[in-house]
Amino acid sequence: MSLPLVVLLPFLGAIAAPLFAQGGRTAIAVASSVPALIALAALFPHWETLADGGMVLHTYEWLPAIGLSLSFRLDGLSLLFALLILVIGLLIILYARYYLKEKENAGKFYALLLCFKGSMLGIVLSSNLLLMMIFWELTSLTSFLLISFWTHKQDARRGARMALAVTGGGGLALLAGILILGNIVGSFELDDVLAAGAEIKAHAMYPVALTLVLLGAFTKSAQFPFHFWLPHAMQAPTPVSAYLHSATMVKAGIFLMARLYPALAGTEQWFYMVSFTGMATLLLGAYVAMFKHDLKGLLAYSTVSHLGLITLLFGMGTKLAAVAAVFHVINHAIFKASLFMAAGIIDHETGTRDMRRINGLWRYMPHTATLAMVAASSMAGVPLLNGFLSKEMFFAESLQLNLPGYWAWLPPLVATLAGIFAVAYSARFIHDVFFNGKPVDLPVYPPHEPPRYMKIPVEILVFACIMVGIFPALSVGPLLYAAASATLGGNVPEYHLTIAHGFNLPLLMSFLAFFGGLLMYSQRQRFFDFHARFKEVDEKAVFEAAVLRVEGFANRLTARIENGSLQRYGLLLVLSVIAVAAAPLANLGVFIGENGLSPVDIPTAIGAGVLILCAILTAVFHRDRFTALVLLSVVGLVVALAFARFSAPDLAMTQLSVEVVTIVLLMLALYYMPSWTPLETATPRRVRDVIIALVAGTGMTLVTLAMLTQPFSSISEFFLDNSKPGGGGTNVVNVILVDFRGFDTLGEITVLAIAALGIYAMLKNTALTPPPGDGQGHSWTRDAHPLMLKLIARPMLPLALMVSAYIFLRGHNLPGGGFIAGLITSVALILQYVASGMIWTQDRVPFKYHSVIGVGLLFAVIAGAGSFAFSYPFLTSTFDYITWPVVGKFEVASALVFDLGVYLTVIGATLLALVSIGRLSPHSAIKSPKGGA
């Protein structure tokens, strides 16, 4: 199975899993587990290649012009993180089955969880930095939805907003850093970036790129001073906390540092920025964790501290430190996920997480207590558990830094002090929760053990803590080596995974940390009293106050600029253009270039005169809305004739069709508006506006003259030369739309569809009472649908559809195409609405326009994605010639499928918008049983 499918599987599961919600929580949990199981089975065959230091790479071209490709890479490092994502994800799915209440929306929860899982897999498996950036942002969005899953809780919503703001801001910095790296290297492919490490570090933009990339990593992995979002994200359901904030999302920044380690590490800037940030985070998180009364709050700050430990190890810059960092990634994910799930069990069975109330739970929940105590001991670094081994390596590496003078003592002192705090808050977790007297006023009393299967995920992880702690080389040795090799670029130093290395200085530091932590906990009241002397900073309040200040400034600025006057907006825009363009135009000199002016024949001059006159009259008679609309339609008609005059029949047909649709749309809108606009502008202001308009128009004329009379080379020559051999069509305009610039066209029809759906959504429950007459005292005719119009319009429909089909089919070689054909069909159907009314027409339209839009977009996407099956970039088209009896030889192009999508989308969007406006009247808003829209 290809690596892209491994990433895609969770997203497919997110679509399919909610369909099993009717079968109960067990059914949906089982369905949600299938993608991870298949993905694990797909990764297993690659193990031998990766164990030998190899790599699996799958690359598909997507947008080569900007360096974006669907490149996926599987090496030791990405395999390690993929296993953490998939295996712990499976345990979380089982755990959530029993954690979620019956009334909660399990389908939504599992769908979001699977989307997040797919996004994380995309990050760790991407071999293109731009592609990784897409998945990076997807994790921010999906984590926002997961953290705010309990939407009824204000703290959950605020915590989600905080997480999104911090990680989203870091994502923008990371994007800028990636763009700089790509500019330095000349490629966004990971292989190229990692191979260009020396070039990157020698470049003048290296400090800027490094700072921006590290900002992205630090915000994602909750490093100081961006650590505050993580504790406040603990308002999420515990399965979310256990998954996102121990094993996956917060490890994304760690993964980024490990992934780019060969390209960015090894400089003084890296050492100081990464190591000191990690050091500050390590100490701050460890200190604050000691004083938290909320069980998940303690675990959150301990997570911040351990993330700082891993960051510090990467910042040290030595190879063994990088190995220790990768090892602690494994160990921390194992013991912290089990601790979060144990905390969730306690909260689930007692109704609270307040450690001042949940005392003495050993006698009520001995099984859960045993599991939690083993995991907490691993977090403290107790021997024979996995946390001890990586912490020993951390202590050893802190002694190897050759810092000058007294600075050499700083790393081992910080490491030992952080170890003391880790033992202290771990001891508090064990003693305060499971011993320390009896429970105090529990919401649920007496507490009891959870359902049997809810404990299985915790048991598996605790068993892993013990196995890694006793048999490290056997249990994780090969995986650690493969991941370290990928991190260091294949040059792995010698190291030994054993329970003990004899009595040495790191072991002495471990003993000092262990007994120092126990001593600190025994004197905890003194430390609590000391801590109480300082005013506790409420990060949430500080963040909310900062957001309010920014919002207030934005509102004040907006109030000064945006006062609701469209005239003022236009004035500011035009004046800004004049101010910017004045100096260049003044220095331009001669405005007529060496090509000179083209001769003007009499028909062209007449057409230009009519165009100018009608445009001026539209402005003069703008208060008489109907007259202004008629004059405006003449302007549109003359523009269509101008296109035809200058050999642009496609544009002429499009302009004419758009003009018809636009005029009908405006007529529908004017039907509900007064016929006249009152005079609101004083004479001096009108004179001012005329002068400004003349100045802007004169400037635009001069710019146009200067551009069109100069010799220039146009890209049109490329399209003319390549339209037939490259796109298989002689109609250059259509080939551009569906082939050369097909991606633009896909975006445009998507925007058109969104606009139509937006109009429908705004107007679907709206009813307006139309005026009784035309504004001049004349009442509307009672014959709303004249017989003659009906008799003419109904035969016109099949004729128009036939013309539309002809225009559509010939569009690749002659003027036409899906857009024009769609507009012709729309005009034909609009004529039926006008001639015969809403009810009559809707009764004969057997489909909804929403569906037409959806099918059209689906055809367009399928046409674009189909090229992937042949290893070509998105929207690559092909063509061939076939011969049929009688018909003879003719051309068939794959772009025809894309054009069909354009055709259907234009029809659906145009009619949905117009019918939605036409239904505003209570008389026409009667729903037909079939509902054409």
Side-chain angles (χ1 to χ4, degrees):
M1 181 183 291
S2 65
L3 296 179
L5 288 179
V6 172
V7 177
L8 184 61
L9 277 170
F11 293 105
L12 297 177
I15 298 172
L19 302 177
F20 293 84
Q22 297 298 324
R25 290 181 297 171
T26 301
I28 193 172
V30 171
S32 300
S33 303
V34 172
L37 292 172
I38 298 175
L40 286 170
L43 294 176
F44 179 75
H46 301 300
W47 167 243
E48 290 187 6
T49 303
L50 304 182
D52 294 334
M55 177 185 66
V56 179
L57 185 65
H58 291 161
T59 301
Y60 304 90
E61 291 293 336
W62 187 10
L63 296 174
I66 63 172
L68 176 58
S69 62
L70 294 175
S71 297
F72 294 91
R73 169 196 186 106
L74 183 65
D75 57 13
L77 182 65
S78 54
L79 176 66
L80 166 62
F81 277 87
L83 289 177
L84 291 177
I85 294 164
L86 292 169
V87 174
I88 295 182
L90 277 173
L91 299 178
I92 293 296
I93 287 171
L94 174 59
Y95 177 83
R97 152 63 182 92
Y98 297 95
Y99 182 88
L100 296 176
K101 297 177 182 178
E102 290 284 353
K103 63 181 181 180
E104 291 179 321
N105 190 342
K108 174 185 174 182
F109 179 85
Y110 281 113
L112 292 175
L113 197 69
L114 287 169
C115 285
F116 177 81
K117 181 185 293 184
S119 303
M120 279 300 306
L121 285 172
I123 288 177
V124 302
L125 294 177
S126 291
S127 188
N128 181 282
L129 292 181
L130 292 179
L131 181 64
M132 186 199 72
M133 192 66 230
I134 294 173
F135 288 113
W136 185 279
E137 291 305 303
L138 280 176
T139 60
S140 295
L141 294 174
T142 50
S143 65
F144 167 79
L145 297 172
L146 283 168
I147 295 168
S148 61
F149 178 74
W150 284 332
T151 54
H152 60 282
K153 292 186 176 182
Q154 186 182 51
D155 286 342
R157 299 195 302 271
R158 288 182 174 178
R161 286 200 301 268
M162 186 186 299
L164 182 63
V166 175
T167 59
L172 291 175
L174 175 60
L175 176 60
I178 286 175
L179 293 177
I180 294 174
L181 286 179
N183 183 61
I184 295 172
V185 179
S187 170
F188 293 103
E189 293 300 317
L190 194 58
D191 285 346
D192 299 330
V193 173
L194 297 181
E199 179 185 351
I200 293 172
K201 296 167 194 173
H203 199 277
M205 290 298 291
Y206 167 73
V208 179
L210 177 64
T211 302
L212 292 170
V213 170
L214 289 180
L215 276 174
F218 290 165
T219 51
K220 203 76 161 184
S221 288
Q223 297 298 291
F224 177 83
F226 310 107
H227 64 284
F228 56 87
W229 70 264
L230 178 58
H232 293 285
M234 290 298 117
Q235 298 300 326
T238 298
V240 174
S241 303
Y243 195 43
L244 272 65
H245 305 137
S246 65
T248 52
M249 179 178 172
V250 293
K251 294 293 196 309
I254 301 296
F255 171 81
L256 182 65
M257 287 187 281
R259 182 85 286 174
L260 297 179
Y261 189 86
L264 300 179
T267 63
E268 287 191 1
Q269 295 100 315
W270 172 276
F271 172 78
Y272 288 112
M273 292 179 68
V274 179
S275 60
F276 279 92
T277 299
M279 196 178 297
T281 309
L282 170 65
L283 284 178
L284 178 66
Y287 174 81
V288 177
M290 176 65 188
F291 304 102
K292 284 296 173 183
H293 298 299
D294 178 23
L295 196 57
K296 284 176 68 175
L298 183 151
L299 294 178
Y301 276 101
S302 72
T303 298
V304 170
S305 179
H306 282 272
L307 292 171
L309 186 155
I310 299 170
T311 301
L312 174 55
L313 282 168
F314 277 121
M316 289 178 179
T318 65
K319 293 181 179 180
L320 275 175
V323 175
V326 175
F327 191 23
H328 200 66
V329 167
I330 302 172
N331 293 334
H332 177 258
I334 294 172
F335 67 66
K336 191 53 63 69
S338 58
L339 281 170
F340 268 114
M341 285 192 269
I345 290 173
I346 294 168
D347 184 19
H348 191 268
E349 302 304 329
T350 64
T352 181
R353 300 195 307 258
D354 192 338
M355 296 172 64
R356 294 165 295 188
R357 300 169 67 185
I358 47 175
N359 311 131
L361 293 185
W362 167 266
R363 68 184 66 182
Y364 301 99
M365 308 167 66
H367 191 161
T368 301
T370 302
L371 297 173
M373 287 190 290
V374 173
S377 300
S378 178
M379 179 170 65
V382 174
L384 300 182
L385 296 172
N386 63 340
F388 171 76
L389 299 176
S390 51
K391 192 166 287 188
E392 279 281 288
M393 295 176 73
F394 169 52
F395 287 156
E397 289 307 305
S398 69
L399 296 167
Q400 301 303 316
L401 292 180
N402 296 319
L403 297 180
Y406 290 108
W407 287 103
W409 289 94
L410 182 62
L413 284 175
V414 169
T416 306
L417 184 58
I420 290 171
F421 275 112
V423 172
Y425 62 65
S426 300
R428 185 174 177 227
F429 180 94
I430 294 172
H431 182 261
D432 284 15
V433 175
F434 301 112
F435 303 100
N436 198 30
K438 297 180 180 181
V440 179
D441 193 23
L442 293 181
V444 178
Y445 186 85
H448 55 77
E449 292 285 359
R452 177 70 190 92
Y453 290 102
M454 192 176 185
K455 292 181 288 190
I456 287 180
V458 188
E459 292 169 345
I460 292 173
L461 292 170
V462 169
F463 178 73
C465 290
I466 299 171
M467 286 297 296
V468 175
I470 299 176
F471 307 107
L474 180 64
S475 55
V476 296
L479 179 60
L480 174 60
Y481 184 87
S485 177
T487 302
L488 297 171
N491 191 8
V492 182
E494 184 179 356
Y495 64 92
H496 301 282
L497 290 180
T498 59
I499 298 176
H501 296 84
F503 189 82
N504 51 22
L505 203 51
L507 184 61
L508 177 61
M509 293 168 67
S510 293
F511 280 124
L512 285 175
F514 183 74
F515 291 108
L518 292 180
L519 178 63
M520 174 180 282
Y521 179 67
S522 67
Q523 302 299 314
R524 59 190 178 280
Q525 192 56 52
R526 296 185 180 183
F527 286 99
F528 272 90
D529 293 340
F530 171 78
H531 181 70
R533 296 178 185 177
F534 304 97
K535 183 179 180 181
E536 188 169 352
V537 178
D538 187 349
E539 297 101 336
K540 185 187 298 181
V542 173
F543 176 80
E544 294 286 349
V547 171
L548 288 175
R549 283 196 294 272
V550 173
E551 184 182 353
F553 172 76
N555 288 335
R556 291 191 297 272
L557 182 63
T558 303
R560 292 183 65 86
I561 298 175
E562 185 179 348
N563 66 343
S565 170
L566 184 61
Q567 186 181 33
R568 182 179 180 183
Y569 304 155
L571 175 67
L572 292 175
L573 177 63
V574 174
L575 286 177
S576 300
V577 172
I578 292 174
V580 171
L585 285 176
N587 297 326
L588 189 60
V590 179
F591 289 97
I592 299 179
E594 56 187 82
N595 286 354
L597 297 175
S598 302
V600 179
D601 54 32
I602 294 177
T604 302
I606 294 174
V610 172
L611 179 67
I612 295 170
L613 179 62
C614 289
I616 294 173
L617 291 176
T618 301
V620 172
F621 292 103
H622 74 278
R623 293 176 56 215
D624 184 350
R625 288 172 172 163
F626 182 76
T627 302
L629 182 59
V630 172
L631 292 168
L632 192 62
S633 67
V634 176
V635 172
L637 177 61
V638 175
V639 169
L641 293 175
F643 287 142
R645 166 69 179 80
F646 293 104
S647 304
D650 276 273
L651 295 180
M653 294 170 66
T654 303
Q655 171 66 25
L656 194 58
S657 303
V658 168
E659 192 65 30
V660 173
V661 173
T662 304
I663 293 300
V664 172
L665 177 66
L666 291 173
M667 287 292 291
L668 283 171
L670 292 181
Y671 176 65
Y672 299 99
M673 298 174 66
S675 300
W676 288 80
T677 301
L679 182 63
E680 298 175 342
T681 307
T683 301
R685 178 174 290 186
R686 294 201 299 276
V687 173
R688 179 204 66 184
D689 292 346
V690 168
I691 294 172
I692 293 174
L694 287 172
V695 171
T698 303
M700 196 64 226
T701 301
L702 294 176
V703 170
T704 305
L705 277 174
M707 289 178 61
L708 296 183
T709 57
Q710 297 289 340
F712 65 93
S713 59
S714 172
I715 196 175
S716 61
E717 297 297 328
F718 168 82
F719 292 124
L720 289 171
D721 294 340
N722 291 277
S723 175
K724 181 65 175 178
T730 56
N731 182 5
V732 180
V733 174
N734 184 261
V735 173
I736 291 174
L737 290 176
V738 301
D739 193 323
F740 293 123
R741 303 299 296 272
F743 204 80
D744 290 351
T745 304
L746 179 60
E748 289 161 5
I749 62 172
T750 303
V751 170
L752 181 64
I754 292 172
L757 293 172
I759 293 172
Y760 169 78
M762 287 190 296
L763 301 180
K764 65 177 181 178
N765 293 321
T766 304
L768 297 178
T769 302
D774 63 357
Q776 298 179 351
H778 305 127
S779 59
W780 302 117
T781 176
R782 294 185 179 181
D783 189 8
H785 309 294
L787 179 61
M788 287 299 296
L789 184 58
K790 292 180 185 178
L791 294 176
I792 294 173
R794 291 178 185 177
M796 288 287 290
L797 180 60
L799 179 61
L801 293 177
M802 183 177 65
V803 172
S804 173
Y806 172 69
I807 292 293
F808 171 77
L809 291 173
R810 78 171 197 166
H812 210 54
N813 291 288
L814 294 171
F819 192 84
I820 300 172
L823 288 173
I824 293 173
T825 302
S826 300
V827 171
L829 289 171
I830 289 169
L831 181 59
Q832 305 308 309
Y833 279 104
V834 172
S836 302
M838 294 282 294
I839 296 177
W840 184 93
T841 307
Q842 286 183 189
D843 285 342
R844 287 155 181 81
V845 176
F847 46 79
K848 293 186 177 181
Y849 296 127
H850 310 75
S851 304
V852 177
I853 293 174
V855 172
L857 291 175
L858 182 63
F859 270 112
V861 172
I862 290 174
S867 55
F868 287 147
F870 303 95
S871 300
Y872 283 99
F874 185 67
L875 274 173
T876 301
S877 66
T878 186
F879 62 94
D880 201 354
Y881 294 90
I882 61 176
T883 303
W884 276 6
V886 181
V887 177
K889 182 180 179 181
F890 66 96
E891 179 193 4
V892 176
S894 62
L896 190 66
V897 179
F898 182 81
D899 217 13
L900 178 61
V902 175
Y903 172 77
L904 294 174
T905 306
V906 168
I907 293 173
T910 304
L911 290 173
L912 181 62
L914 290 173
V915 171
S916 297
I917 298 174
R919 282 178 170 171
L920 287 175
S921 170
H923 304 293
S924 59
I926 303 170
K927 299 288 190 299
S928 163
K930 295 183 181 180

